Amino acid sequence: MTELVVTAATDGGEVLADAARVGNKFARQEVLRRAGFRVPEFFCLPAAAFDEALDALRPSLPAEPVDGADRAEVESWCAAAREALGGARLPVALAERIRKEFAAVAGPDGLVAVRACVVPANAGAGASAGADDASGGAAPEADAAEAIGEDSAVDPFAGMSDSFLYVDEDGVEDAVLRCWASAFNPQAVRYRTLRGLDPLRARVAVGIQRMVLGSRSFVAFTRDPRDGAVLRVVAAAYGIGEGVVQEKADIDHFFHDPATDEVTARTVRKQWSMGLPEGAAAGSPVLLPVAADLADVPVLDDDQVRAVAELAARVEELFGVPQDIEGALTEDGVVHLLQARPLVTAPPTATATATATTGTGAATGTGPATAAAAPEEPGSAQVYWGNHNITESFPGVSGALTFSQSREFYRRSFTDLYRRMGVPESWVRDNAHRLARMVGYLEGQVYYRLDDWHALHGQMPMFELVRRGWEQAMGITGPARGERRWAAPAVALALPRLAWRSALHPWQVKSFLRWWDRQMAEAETVGDSPEELIAFYRRLWERAGERWGVTLVNAFIALVVLGAGSILLRRWTGEGPQVLVGLMGGGRENRSLEAVRAAMGLAELVGAVPELRAAVLDDASDPEQLWRQIVEGHHGAAVGDAARGYVARYGDRALHDLKLEEPTPRQRPWTVLALIRPLVRQGATVAASRADEQAAARKARERLREVLPNPARRAVLLGVTSLARDLARIREDTRFCRTQLFGLSRDVMWRLGAELARTGVLDDALDVADLTVEEVIGAFDGTGTVTDLRALVALRRTQRERWAKNPQRPALLGTPAGLPLARALPRASAVGTAAAVDDGLLRGIGSSGGVVRGRAKVVLDPSTDPDLAAGRILVARETDPGWLFLMMSATGMVVERGTLLSHTAITGRLLGVPTVVAVPGATTEIPDGAWIEIDGAAGTVRLLPPSEQPEEPEEPGESDGTTPTDGTTPTDGTTPTDGTTPTDGTATTEKGDRT
């Protein structure tokens, strides 16, 4: 007869040590008990008891689904089984036996913890959890796919089954039944399905253990869960262990170095612990306030940390692999060992879900770190926010319409990225809350929420290859940096997927661009009714959400390629990345550059008609009237066709073109005249632009030949840079598509706004700027929750105007965790350091070669007239594609943000303009009008002392702000240090005009 209740006393511990009968969790506890560890007394109901209980209920259950049944049928049966088990009664004999053993381990008035543990299905007996089998897994003869149980070495199944604490004798029967029912918890069913395991074959053992009333509890790892280093990490809190495991209590972190026996700590102010409600005899644990005199006292002293670390090390020695243990200290200071499990060494498909969302399992250096990993900053938890590169798309204060659209864009595009990079669908679904808040709205400014950004990206092992580069691109530094989550073996295992993804990438990009061009064509056929506009908008964004991840995959691959190229260049030549930068010039035009050269072509045509040229350059001209004359052919059919064609193809490209409250040439076509005015004045030509680009590329190849004479290695580097150039072109192509995506959305929202204004719901069509997308659509389709949209618009407009007057917030900041943002934001603090100025020298990343001297033009508002930047060195916080015309007027660029692949860097290379990006504090350290020298190869910006500054021109207003230091003919603002021809091959005659 099968024994349905087993104890160490009744069977000598043979069944209790058998993971195939009682599960890994309890078998391992029995091994620890035998080895002399202080494990609280317990007994078990093996999986056989679950089998009998379920078999007794089968006649009342629906017919069990056959092999191959669909998911809905399986989940329906599991739900019925769960309900039946939870509502059943234990056989009288079994209930009496449980009460007897309860009294033996806890006493008649004692309390127990009742825990479930998934048991490997169909595993034979004899799967000992002894030292020779550290996993405590199933028997070797068991089917490999099913030899996976809770707390196994290959899959923790963390959080899949239920546990109940502070259970008294009267509540133990119900707790057992609920543990059995948890075999069919919805999340467990979905998890097993995802893992390729049959949910119908789930089996659960139940352990009933004396409840240790700990005053302090801990989780300890024998390896640093962040990077696998040999460092013992202890997370501890007042109260019971659920506070640590579920992260509900305030947790101190301790680090013990076994080599030196040194203990370091990162402590927080403790406000909350978990325990039994005051005055209650039994029941579920709740949050309890920590006594005021303990709030600032470390949970453990150094000696106690060493004792816990030594305990964890002894457990590791017993089982032979790194361990994650849980324990508690009672009031008398005695340490009790409650659980032990191996660190997960190779996370299966869904392990990330278990560890990241429950915090109950620890991960090794080859898997994601658990929630108990140390906080970034000692003293208090922080939420880090960054807008280092997102602000180039959403500068300044954005309206509610823009933010709601940007939030949807990032949610959809990153969801698609993770799907493409192999992150399990279930994990993405479980972390939908993180995706929904990946960008935040901080008093009108759009920021990335970096803890979610790290948590989401950290589920991709390949992310370790580009993490530092991507963090640099986003300006993430100091304590806001993420911890390493995957060790080298896990990254290596992921490389084949990345290689396959890279091989498919060119085809997928071509497919994406063809699809996008079809969407633009479809947009031309959409009618004017709100119903048609809304239907088109919904279709467009649903389709985009299934495809936009390819643009982020491109960024991923590009960072890998650039990193590889930089390593090879440094190893083979000792040169910095400036050589690599030059080699990325040339190649096929991208869509962003096509827009620039289309503007140049239009400017050439305008300049060829003297009367029209004069009108365009005349500030007194009425731009609307002049544009109407142009498109109506008053100045020639060629000019009219080019003007209409430019707006049709490139009309969504403008300053702030992702901000839906801002117009573009699509809505205000006459604004094109302001964009081309500096090009007309300079006499810029498409042919000269292409020639400059090709000349810069030739010069870079010649430089490579000098520093790397080995032809084979040179061929390798040229191949790598060719690939990087293609990826940079794809980046600009897809960014232009993004501009058009937001342009189509702007057009729909403005047209709906016009209808709301026509019908008297709003005062003006552009009032939609202060409504969310769903509020605008909801006004038509019946899903809106506010009827007085005027009042809502007025409130938000007042708020937005107030925010616009606030000082610019830091690009990287931290706010206290756990507070509403309105309370946390006033306590925000900047993260990172200001610009380092040493003898007038600022440093950044050189991204387009050449040396140029000239006056700085500090531009904080990109709506600045491009003429004001003519012949000057543009200095800005960030740029976006809409800055192209300002850039084309400038002789050099210095930008606080960016990378080798940022828009500024790419544009600088394409235009042949010396450029330095990622210069912290440039707009504050460089005064407007100051004389500076930038080296686009070395990545330096030098504030010129008075002795090196040219004399002021005799007739103010006639100079371009640049004067050569060698007394030669004025150039375009450059003074090459070697006296040679300026880097872009141009010269100026007055006011910096290019000829």
Side-chain angles (χ1 to χ4, degrees):
M1 178 178 176
T2 303
E3 183 64 60
L4 300 185
V5 177
V6 291
T7 71
T10 57
D11 74 345
E14 293 307 315
V15 176
L16 279 181
D18 187 349
R21 300 185 191 184
V22 301
N24 298 303
K25 181 183 298 182
F26 306 125
R28 202 173 289 116
Q29 284 187 323
E30 173 61 15
V31 171
L32 290 166
R33 185 193 65 80
R34 290 185 192 179
F37 288 87
R38 191 185 300 272
V39 177
E41 299 86 342
F42 71 100
F43 64 97
C44 279
L45 279 66
F50 169 87
D51 295 338
E52 285 200 11
L54 183 59
D55 287 344
L57 295 170
R58 287 186 188 278
S60 63
L61 295 176
E64 186 172 308
V66 298
D67 290 345
D70 63 28
R71 174 175 169 176
E73 185 179 355
V74 171
E75 290 184 352
S76 176
W77 188 92
C78 291
R82 179 172 181 263
E83 183 177 359
L85 283 166
R89 294 296 303 273
L90 294 178
V92 174
L94 180 58
E96 290 179 352
R97 176 68 189 280
I98 290 173
R99 286 179 177 272
K100 175 184 176 182
E101 298 302 336
F102 179 100
V105 301
D109 299 321
L111 298 173
V112 295
V114 182
R115 297 185 176 94
C117 182
V118 175
V119 175
N122 286 349
S128 171
D132 294 332
D133 178 12
S135 74
E141 63 269 21
D143 175 33
E146 290 294 345
I148 299 174
E150 188 169 354
D151 281 352
S152 71
V154 294
D155 198 333
F157 271 69
M160 294 298 110
S161 55
D162 290 343
S163 297
F164 304 95
L165 306 179
Y166 295 116
V167 179
D168 60 14
E169 186 175 0
D170 292 336
V172 72
E173 177 177 349
D174 181 63
V176 168
L177 291 168
R178 291 167 67 185
C179 282
W180 282 344
S182 70
F184 302 111
N185 279 348
Q187 69 269 25
V189 172
R190 290 193 296 270
Y191 185 88
R192 292 180 67 83
T193 300
L194 178 67
R195 294 282 289 112
L197 309 176
D198 187 352
L200 307 180
R201 299 170 68 194
R203 306 170 72 230
V204 166
V206 179
I208 301 171
Q209 187 169 38
R210 177 173 59 83
M211 187 76 197
V212 174
L213 303 180
S215 59
R216 290 163 292 173
S217 299
F218 62 84
V219 173
F221 314 119
T222 59
R223 295 290 186 274
D224 191 326
R226 298 167 296 184
D227 57 13
V230 182
L231 184 69
R232 297 162 185 168
V233 181
V234 181
Y238 290 116
I240 64 170
E242 294 301 291
V244 181
V245 169
Q246 297 179 11
E247 292 188 292
K248 293 183 177 180
D250 295 305
I251 303 169
D252 285 346
H253 290 79
F254 306 92
F255 307 88
H256 174 254
D257 186 343
T260 64
D261 203 33
E262 181 181 358
V263 173
T264 57
R266 293 182 183 176
T267 62
V268 300
R269 182 174 179 80
K270 273 74 68 180
Q271 300 182 60
W272 300 103
S273 65
M274 284 194 75
L276 190 63
E278 188 174 354
S284 300
V286 298
L287 282 175
L288 300 172
V290 173
D293 60 340
L294 295 177
D296 295 312
V297 178
V299 175
L300 304 175
D301 61 32
D302 286 359
D303 288 340
Q304 288 168 331
V305 172
R306 292 187 179 95
V308 170
E310 178 58 28
L311 173 64
R314 287 170 53 211
V315 175
E316 176 179 315
E317 183 180 0
L318 174 66
F319 289 120
V321 293
Q323 295 288 305
D324 156 18
I325 69 170
E326 294 178 25
L329 284 77
T330 45
E331 288 289 356
D332 56 6
V334 175
V335 179
H336 301 262
L337 180 58
L338 303 179
Q339 293 195 56
R341 62 181 67 84
L343 292 172
V344 180
T345 55
T349 306
T351 300
T353 305
T355 57
T357 59
T358 68
T360 57
T364 65
T366 56
T370 69
E376 305 279 5
E377 277 280 293
S380 62
Q382 293 274 297
V383 175
Y384 293 107
W385 306 86
N387 74 348
H388 183 90
N389 69 341
I390 201 173
T391 192
E392 74 178 33
S393 301
F394 307 101
V397 172
S398 298
L401 187 68
T402 292
F403 174 69
S404 64
Q405 192 65 85
S406 67
R407 181 169 174 256
E408 184 71 0
F409 174 78
Y410 287 103
R411 182 184 70 82
R412 289 181 179 271
S413 57
F414 278 102
T415 296
D416 191 38
L417 167 68
Y418 303 136
R419 178 181 64 81
R420 291 172 182 270
M421 299 302 283
V423 176
E425 293 279 0
S426 63
W427 191 92
V428 174
R429 286 195 303 272
D430 289 344
N431 284 270
H433 65 290
R434 292 187 184 275
L435 284 157
R437 67 186 191 191
M438 180 174 266
V439 293
Y441 195 51
L442 277 60
E443 293 189 345
Q445 293 182 263
V446 182
Y447 276 76
Y448 277 114
R449 179 168 171 148
L450 298 179
D451 58 335
D452 289 324
W453 186 87
H454 277 118
L456 291 163
H457 279 38
Q459 298 308 309
M460 302 181 290
M462 298 84 77
F463 181 58
E464 293 300 339
L465 298 173
V466 299
R467 180 165 53 87
R468 288 305 183 196
W470 212 325
E471 286 179 336
Q472 182 188 52
M474 294 182 62
I476 303 173
T477 187
R481 284 190 182 276
E483 297 289 347
R484 184 180 181 91
R485 292 169 176 255
W486 301 87
V491 177
L493 288 173
L495 287 177
R497 176 187 288 273
L498 180 60
W500 176 246
R501 175 63 56 194
S502 301
L504 293 177
H505 186 60
W507 175 84
Q508 291 178 334
V509 169
K510 290 178 182 177
S511 175
F512 172 86
L513 293 174
R514 287 195 299 268
W515 164 78
W516 179 249
D517 290 339
R518 290 196 300 272
Q519 305 312 299
M520 292 298 296
E522 180 184 335
E524 297 294 326
T525 67
V526 177
D528 293 326
S529 73
E531 186 71 21
E532 291 176 281
L533 291 170
I534 292 170
F536 168 72
Y537 173 88
R538 295 290 197 200
R539 286 197 307 273
L540 176 67
W541 279 89
E542 283 299 320
R543 294 168 180 171
E546 297 170 354
R547 294 171 174 84
W548 222 269
V550 73
T551 69
L552 297 172
V553 172
N554 186 79
F556 201 105
I557 298 171
L559 285 171
V560 173
V561 171
L562 270 179
S566 297
I567 291 171
L568 292 177
L569 186 70
R570 186 169 59 251
R571 182 174 298 172
W572 289 345
T573 69
E575 294 281 331
Q578 60 269 20
V579 176
L580 195 65
V581 168
L583 293 169
M584 289 178 62
R588 184 165 63 83
E589 290 180 359
N590 61 63
R591 297 188 181 201
S592 292
L593 186 56
E594 285 174 0
V596 173
R597 287 180 174 156
M600 282 184 175
L602 178 59
E604 285 187 68
L605 292 172
V606 168
V609 181
E611 178 186 354
L612 180 57
R613 182 181 190 276
V616 168
L617 297 180
D618 185 356
D619 291 337
S621 296
D622 180 345
E624 291 187 54
Q625 180 181 355
L626 183 56
W627 180 261
R628 187 164 53 252
Q629 293 174 355
I630 291 172
V631 297
E632 289 176 355
H634 294 187
H635 298 282
V639 180
D641 289 345
R644 287 191 299 272
Y646 180 86
V647 172
R649 174 65 171 160
Y650 306 112
D652 295 310
R653 175 53 55 86
L655 293 171
H656 303 167
D657 52 22
L658 299 191
K659 299 184 73 168
L660 302 190
E661 62 267 25
E662 299 285 347
T664 67
R666 184 80 64 193
Q667 293 79 37
R668 308 281 190 269
W670 57 87
T671 58
V672 171
L673 297 177
L675 299 179
I676 67 171
R677 183 182 294 124
L679 303 178
V680 173
R681 179 174 287 116
Q682 294 167 7
T685 68
V686 174
S689 171
R690 287 177 175 148
D692 290 345
E693 181 186 356
Q694 294 301 322
R698 284 195 301 272
K699 184 176 179 180
R701 288 193 292 271
E702 291 170 1
R703 174 61 179 162
L704 179 64
R705 197 173 290 111
E706 292 174 5
V707 299
L708 187 60
N710 185 305
R713 290 182 172 180
R714 192 166 63 246
V716 170
L717 264 181
L718 287 172
V720 170
T721 52
S722 175
L723 178 56
R725 183 169 56 247
D726 289 343
L727 293 165
R729 185 190 69 249
I730 291 169
R731 183 180 192 270
E732 290 302 303
D733 282 344
T734 56
R735 281 172 69 94
F736 188 79
C737 295
R738 184 184 64 173
T739 289
Q740 292 179 311
L741 173 64
F742 276 73
L744 293 176
S745 301
R746 176 188 291 105
D747 189 55
V748 169
M749 293 299 133
W750 283 33
R751 289 162 75 179
L752 293 176
E755 182 64 15
L756 291 173
R758 186 188 69 80
T759 55
V761 177
L762 296 177
D763 294 326
D764 186 86
L766 295 190
D767 285 349
V768 293
D770 291 301
L771 299 175
T772 68
V773 167
E774 290 304 322
E775 287 166 348
V776 175
I777 292 176
F780 291 94
D781 64 12
T783 59
T785 58
V786 177
T787 55
D788 189 356
L789 292 181
R790 273 197 185 91
L792 185 58
V793 166
L795 173 66
R796 288 194 180 138
R797 180 186 295 126
T798 301
Q799 179 177 257
R800 178 162 55 89
E801 290 171 350
R802 184 176 72 251
W803 288 340
K805 297 175 182 177
N806 292 342
Q808 181 87 5
R809 288 195 177 276
L812 185 63
L813 56 87
T815 58
L819 292 176
L821 188 61
R823 295 290 177 265
L825 206 51
R827 299 166 60 185
S829 56
V831 178
T833 57
V837 183
D838 182 13
D839 295 329
L841 197 66
L842 289 83
R843 292 180 172 82
I845 299 173
S847 55
S848 180
V851 177
V852 60
R853 283 186 179 184
R855 284 193 181 277
K857 179 58 186 176
V858 179
V859 177
L860 303 180
D861 179 3
S863 60
T864 299
D865 187 338
D867 279 351
L868 297 179
R872 297 292 188 98
I873 297 174
L874 179 65
V875 181
R877 290 194 184 102
E878 70 282 320
T879 71
D880 65 25
W883 287 63
L884 276 169
F885 300 96
L886 275 168
M887 296 174 177
M888 294 172 66
S889 300
T891 59
M893 293 187 286
V894 179
V895 181
E896 291 183 353
R897 301 166 187 178
T899 68
L900 289 177
L901 281 178
S902 66
H903 174 77
T904 307
I906 292 171
T907 303
R909 291 192 292 270
L910 293 174
L911 299 178
V913 176
T915 304
V916 183
V917 299
V919 182
T923 58
T924 54
E925 296 293 339
I926 302 173
D928 187 44
W931 281 93
I932 62 174
E933 177 186 88
I934 70 172
D935 187 332
T940 58
V941 182
R942 188 162 67 94
L943 299 170
L944 297 181
S947 61
E948 294 187 45
Q949 294 178 10
E951 295 180 5
E952 295 295 334
E954 294 181 3
E955 299 182 29
E958 291 301 310
S959 170
D960 64 351
T962 61
T963 305
T965 57
D966 59 2
T968 60
T969 303
T971 70
D972 64 345
T974 66
T975 306
T977 54
D978 58 1
T980 59
T981 303
T983 56
D984 64 357
T986 64
T988 62
T989 54
E990 69 174 292
K991 296 185 181 179
D993 298 347
R994 297 190 180 197
T995 60

